[in-house]
Amino acid sequence: MATFDDILEEVGTFGRYQKRIFALLCVLSLPFAGVFAGIVFQGFTPDPGQVCGWSLADGRRLTVPQVNSSGALQPSSCEQYEVDWNSTTLSCDTQELDLSGATVTTCTDGWEYQYEGRKSFVTEFDLVCSDGWLVDLYQSTVNVGFLFGSFTFGYVADRFGRRLSLLISSLLNAISGIVLAVAPNYVSILVVRTIHGFGVKGGWMVAYVLLSEIVGVEHRRTIGVLFQMMFSGGVLILPLLAYFISDWRWLQVAITAPYFLFLSYYCFIPESPRWLLSQSKSSKALEIAEAMAKENKMKLLKNVETLTDDDGDSPMASYMDLVRTPKMRKHTLILMFNWFTSAVVYQGLVMRLGIAGGNVYVDFLLSALVEFPAALLILFSIERIGRRLPFASANIAAGASCFIAAFIPDSMFWFKTVVACIGRLGRFSFAPVLPTSYIASPFLLYRLAVIWQELPLIIFGAIAFTAGGLVLLLPETRGVPLPETIDDIEFPDRKVTTEQLKRPLKLRLDKKEATTTV
């Protein structure tokens, strides 16, 4: 019986039809980048100063206690002297004032921000000092949405189809994005942000699966990398938008606007023929195959009456198969740790740009540029060198750059930024999506940075080095047929018999969505 892969060989594995769909779906990655990394600008925390009646610089120098911050004494942003200022000698002409013996208390009269008229949700709701941890929740809640969206939309896409899932996602994203922009208080912002992440990530995963299902097997790796590069394009556009849109709410509107356009995709994007075959809808799959052949200027010759689903006779594997046997368990745990490392280090380095100092727009733009050579590195290294060595090298390079950047003095800011970008390049080269890791990343970055601003880099470097060493324990797959069954992994040197093929390792695409490359 003919499979859909056989049909693709006739109608074109990556012809004009697939390229048109690819171009449309790649655009989905652009606003997704804004949702993922928008906190750098929407939640930017400028340097706060107390409202004292003097200029900000003089007021902080004269009236604010000095605290140890990252190894240096700096005016506190969260404390003030508890002093009756009318009983002191302080005046507008005062140059020095010794208040070392005065009682220190928390700020009670609000804050001013050095933010040049711009507005983030941090400045709107005064999420600084003791309330600073609430900023972490803004990113963690969207990451919770990413987690549940990945699994839920996997089920919805399998049950109702990829095309309808994309429509539902776009509608949910458009509505929740606008509601987020007008939410009246921070609690409602966190709730809506979770829903927004749920829809955005779910739709992005479905788009990736749909793309992989309409092209030939030999093109799937390239399609995945290019789809990932469009995400980098969105990361590149984000600082430009943020520079010209000074209010975080209007920036949210700009990030959301494309999802209204994506609603029209329902009229232009076909259903996955593979999904149609799995639902025994071969006549509709035939219509799409004929449309492919016509637009690709090819001819469909095979008898599609006998067309079958590629995996139709294979029993579904269980997630428990990933840990049931020794070698499979070892490989699974190593890969899970590497997914955790990729997620935490990549998102941590992205968000760190918001607290590193310097011009956040320029720094973000330049660091985003390194993601393009990182994506090209995937294309040219995996087939020529293999997977294990590039994977391990990327981890070790990321770890080394994080360690080095942590000890570069702030006076060498540009050198420090360049070294940190190398770490981002290494982690982006092999950065799958593991939403559970992203949930912890904001707390790991922001809370450790309170202790010492470079401490997160030390942690990132340590786990990246560990991940690189563990990868070397995995088998190389270059030039070796990929395993089809659990037995192929447990007994790689043993000849596989027909009976051993009864337990396939391969999970269906919708069950693999939680670990798709970003």
Side-chain angles (χ1 to χ4, degrees):
M1 292 184 179
T3 66
F4 187 70
D5 284 323
D6 297 326
I7 298 299
L8 279 177
E9 291 297 326
E10 291 194 351
V11 303
T13 56
F14 192 54
R16 180 178 174 181
Y17 185 94
Q18 289 97 330
K19 291 174 182 177
R20 175 173 58 85
I21 304 304
F22 171 71
L24 289 172
L25 292 179
C26 272
V27 182
L28 285 168
S29 290
L30 298 179
F32 176 48
V35 176
F36 179 86
I39 186 176
V40 174
F41 305 102
Q42 293 177 303
F44 184 74
T45 304
D47 191 24
Q50 296 162 291
V51 180
C52 299
W54 305 282
S55 70
L56 186 59
D58 288 341
R60 297 194 69 193
R61 180 176 61 82
L62 293 171
T63 67
V64 177
Q66 301 290 306
V67 296
N68 190 321
S69 178
S70 297
L73 286 178
Q74 298 179 6
S76 173
S77 297
C78 302
E79 298 175 328
Q80 66 181 27
Y81 290 116
E82 191 172 24
V83 173
D84 178 5
W85 298 106
N86 292 326
S87 64
T88 69
T89 59
L90 184 66
S91 70
C92 293
D93 298 324
T94 301
Q95 298 297 316
E96 298 294 337
L97 185 65
D98 184 11
L99 295 174
S100 58
T103 303
V104 175
T105 185
T106 57
C107 296
T108 58
D109 300 318
W111 291 264
E112 289 180 349
Y113 300 94
Q114 300 182 57
Y115 202 30
E116 301 176 357
R118 309 184 76 84
K119 187 176 182 181
S120 70
F121 64 78
V122 172
T123 63
E124 180 175 339
F125 297 104
D126 282 337
L127 301 181
V128 293
C129 301
S130 61
D131 291 332
W133 66 275
L134 293 172
V135 180
D136 308 358
L137 287 180
Y138 185 80
Q139 192 68 11
S140 292
T141 51
V142 78
N143 292 338
V144 170
F146 287 170
L147 173 63
F148 288 101
S150 298
F151 290 103
T152 303
F153 271 88
Y155 170 78
V156 172
D158 187 44
R159 180 70 177 82
F160 302 103
R162 310 343 185 181
R163 188 163 166 252
L164 181 60
S165 298
L166 279 176
L167 177 64
I168 294 172
S169 169
S170 297
L171 182 61
L172 181 61
N173 297 338
I175 294 174
S176 61
I178 295 301
V179 172
L180 178 60
V182 298
N185 55 65
Y186 198 62
V187 173
S188 61
I189 285 174
L190 296 179
V191 172
V192 179
R193 174 83 165 158
T194 306
I195 298 172
H196 196 48
F198 176 88
V200 168
K201 185 56 178 293
W204 191 85
M205 300 293 258
V206 171
Y208 178 87
V209 171
L210 177 56
L211 277 175
S212 68
E213 290 179 336
I214 64 172
V215 301
V217 175
E218 68 273 20
H219 297 292
R220 287 180 182 170
R221 180 180 295 110
T222 302
I223 287 297
V225 172
L226 294 178
F227 192 62
Q228 171 178 279
M229 287 182 69
M230 288 301 293
F231 174 87
S232 300
V235 173
L236 198 62
I237 294 171
L238 180 60
L240 302 176
L241 279 177
Y243 181 80
F244 291 104
I245 303 176
S246 60
D247 191 307
W248 77 273
R249 293 184 182 271
W250 283 109
L251 180 58
Q252 178 61 42
V253 172
I255 293 172
T256 302
Y259 288 107
F260 288 95
L261 174 65
F262 298 155
L263 293 172
S264 66
Y265 276 20
Y266 191 79
C267 302
F268 302 106
I269 301 294
E271 184 52 84
S272 167
R274 297 181 191 273
W275 180 81
L276 290 171
L277 289 173
S278 72
Q279 303 297 307
S280 301
K281 298 179 180 179
S282 57
S283 60
K284 291 185 178 180
L286 170 60
E287 292 177 6
I288 295 174
E290 291 175 339
M292 284 184 180
K294 181 178 179 180
E295 189 167 339
N296 292 343
K297 296 182 174 17
M298 304 289 282
K299 290 185 179 181
L300 181 59
L301 300 175
K302 279 192 170 59
N303 181 8
V304 294
E305 297 298 328
T306 60
L307 190 60
T308 61
D309 181 16
D310 298 355
D311 298 324
D313 297 328
S314 299
M316 286 297 295
S318 166
Y319 283 113
M320 289 302 298
D321 288 339
L322 297 174
V323 294
R324 186 172 284 122
T325 55
K327 287 187 179 179
M328 190 67 183
R329 181 165 53 247
K330 182 186 77 171
H331 298 170
T332 298
L333 293 176
I334 290 175
L335 288 173
M336 286 185 67
F337 183 77
N338 273 274
W339 292 334
F340 171 84
T341 302
S342 296
V344 169
V345 175
Y346 176 74
Q347 190 178 65
L349 290 175
V350 170
M351 293 190 301
R352 184 182 178 275
L353 293 169
I355 64 173
N359 189 314
V360 66
Y361 304 99
V362 175
D363 296 344
F364 196 95
L365 185 69
L366 294 177
S367 65
L369 288 173
V370 306
E371 297 188 2
F372 291 94
L376 294 175
L377 183 63
I378 300 174
L379 283 176
F380 292 106
S381 66
I382 290 180
E383 290 304 322
R384 291 166 175 79
I385 303 175
R387 291 169 173 79
R388 183 175 61 175
L389 185 58
F391 200 172
S393 299
N395 278 288
I396 294 171
S401 64
C402 287
F403 274 127
I404 294 171
F407 295 101
I408 296 175
D410 291 338
S411 59
M412 304 174 66
F413 179 78
W414 281 108
F415 181 56
K416 190 184 190 81
T417 300
V418 169
V419 173
C421 284
I422 294 174
R424 183 167 165 181
L425 184 151
R427 291 317 313 144
F428 183 81
S429 297
F430 300 92
V433 175
L434 191 63
T436 50
S437 308
Y438 284 152
I439 295 172
S441 189
F443 290 97
L444 184 63
L445 173 71
Y446 293 130
R447 294 313 99 206
L448 291 179
V450 172
I451 301 173
W452 177 36
Q453 185 162 315
E454 310 305 338
L455 184 56
L457 287 177
I458 302 296
I459 303 299
F460 295 159
I463 62 176
F465 264 121
T466 304
L470 290 174
V471 167
L472 295 175
L473 300 177
L474 295 174
E476 179 54 74
T477 58
R478 178 175 178 262
V480 179
L482 292 178
E484 294 286 344
T485 68
I486 298 292
D487 286 335
D488 288 348
I489 293 177
E490 295 301 318
F491 310 102
D493 298 325
R494 190 173 72 182
K495 184 177 180 180
V496 180
T497 65
T498 303
E499 289 75 15
Q500 291 170 335
L501 293 176
K502 292 181 179 179
R503 292 183 63 205
L505 171 67
K506 183 174 66 173
L507 301 179
R508 290 168 66 179
L509 282 170
D510 56 295
K511 296 298 184 182
K512 292 173 66 178
E513 290 170 0
T515 57
T516 305
T517 301
V518 73

